[in-house]
Amino acid sequence: MKKTVKNSKSYNWGDGCKAWQFVNTPTLSVIRETMPPKTSETLHKHTKSQQYFFVIQGEAIFELAGEQFKLKANEGMHVLPNQVHQIINHTDEPLELLVISEPHSHADRIDL
């Protein structure tokens, strides 16, 4: 089935952020997310899941294991299990990204 933001389950998170689940199985999750300007997710880690974050539009600060990286459109970051991380939209523009998790990461999240 063709997946779009119009035909996928969505949910809100954080301070005005939104996510659309394109794939949601126990072994794989593919989510498109939009983060408004000046928002961030909570610093956290996953004990089993690895993730790949890919910026579609905008610019983000990605904190990974105590270091900060600037990610622009068409750039991504791979996060291994137990690596502490967070993504921050520090700009005045919306941030759009894909978050791919293997296995599914929602039940595996530990906020710090």
Side-chain angles (χ1 to χ4, degrees):
M1 176 181 189
K2 182 178 174 179
K3 300 299 277 185
T4 70
V5 295
K6 292 181 180 180
N7 70 4
S8 298
K9 180 181 175 186
S10 66
Y11 59 92
N12 297 317
W13 64 273
D15 189 17
C17 302
K18 187 163 186 165
W20 294 266
Q21 293 180 323
F22 293 153
V23 177
N24 185 22
T25 71
T27 57
L28 179 65
S29 171
V30 179
I31 299 171
R32 181 174 181 150
E33 296 186 353
T34 299
M35 296 176 66
K38 309 293 185 198
T39 58
S40 66
E41 67 174 341
T42 304
L43 193 65
H44 66 282
K45 68 178 183 175
H46 303 276
T47 58
K48 297 177 184 166
S49 299
Q50 64 175 326
Q51 295 184 298
Y52 184 75
F53 293 78
F54 183 80
V55 176
I56 298 167
Q57 180 179 330
E59 182 178 287
I61 297 296
F62 196 90
E63 186 170 325
L64 177 64
E67 286 189 66
Q68 290 193 345
F69 303 88
K70 186 183 288 187
L71 295 179
K72 297 178 181 179
N74 297 312
E75 295 179 336
M77 185 71 63
H78 183 207
V79 179
L80 298 173
N82 288 306
Q83 285 187 308
V84 175
H85 62 281
Q86 80 180 123
I87 194 159
I88 304 161
N89 182 359
H90 63 107
T91 72
D92 293 325
E93 301 294 326
L95 173 67
E96 295 186 28
L97 62 148
L98 281 179
V99 182
I100 302 165
S101 304
E102 183 274 327
H104 193 285
S105 64
H106 283 136
D108 184 38
R109 181 182 168 116
I110 299 171
D111 288 338
L112 303 173

